[in-house]
């Protein structure tokens, strides 16, 4: 009987975790709308004022072909991962002096949702499973 209750609990937890992830992606997509004047993502993404953000997870900063970057970003040595992204978007000028990025995202949840949304896109702009 105890095993049965544990199994039911495990299934419920797994189901809710998958549901939370979907909510994060939806919230991240909504958060990305603030970024769209300068950035693009997806299969038809193009460089705008800032670089397209496909394949961001694991990419070295300042390396998108034909992207417009400050010298500070080119020289930053950043390889994008969740921690570097969180630090940068919460205060871009503090992380990379001279950056051209002016918008910051302050809320921890919003930053996490935004990262979850962006990291799903491969370098080709197609979404990959989480």
């Amino acid at each position: 009987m105890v095993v049965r209750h544990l199994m039911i609990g495990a299934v419920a937890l797994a189901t809710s975790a998958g549901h939370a992830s979907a909510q994060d992606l939806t919230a991240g997509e909504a958060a990305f709308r603030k970024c769209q004047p300068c950035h693009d993502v997806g299969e038809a993404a193009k460089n705008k004022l800032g670089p397209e953000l496909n394949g961001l997870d694991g990419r070295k900063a300042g390396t998108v072909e034909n992207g417009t970057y400050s010298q500070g970003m080119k020289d930053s040595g950043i390889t994008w991962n969740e921690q570097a992204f969180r630090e940068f978007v919460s205060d871009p000028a503090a992380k990379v002096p001279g950056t051209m990025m002016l918008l910051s995202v302050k809320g921890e949840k919003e930053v996490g949702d935004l990262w979850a949304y962006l990291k799903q896109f491969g370098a080709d702009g197609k979404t990959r499973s989480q």
Side-chain angles (χ1 to χ4, degrees), residues 2 6 43 45-46 63 66 68 72 74 83 85 89 95 97-98 101 106 110 125:
V2 171
L6 288 174
E43 291 183 60
K46 298 177 189 151
T63 61
N66 299 318
T68 303
K74 290 178 189 176
Q83 180 181 343
F85 180 80
V89 300
K95 181 72 175 171
M101 186 161 149
K106 297 294 185 188
E110 186 175 17

Side-chain angles (χ1 to χ4, degrees), residues 50-85:
E52 53 87 359
L53 299 176
N54 291 331
L56 186 62
D57 190 17
R59 184 173 81 198
K60 185 173 172 26
T63 61
V64 169
E65 188 175 338
N66 299 318
T68 303
Y69 296 100
S70 65
Q71 195 60 47
M73 185 60 76
K74 290 178 189 176
D75 297 340
S76 70
I78 295 171
T79 297
W80 295 113
N81 59 30
E82 185 171 3
Q83 180 181 343
F85 180 80

Side-chain angles (χ1 to χ4, degrees), residues 26-41:
T26 300
E29 183 176 13
F32 183 70
R33 289 189 192 110
K34 296 175 190 175
C35 310
Q36 284 181 313
C38 297
H39 296 282
D40 208 357
V41 70

Side-chain angles (χ1 to χ4, degrees), residues 1-15:
M1 188 64 141
V2 171
V3 172
R4 181 172 182 229
H5 288 287
L6 288 174
M7 294 287 283
I8 291 170
V11 169
L13 180 62
T15 302

Side-chain angles (χ1 to χ4, degrees), residues 87-88 90-99:
E87 291 171 5
F88 180 71
S90 66
D91 192 353
K95 181 72 175 171
V96 179
T99 185

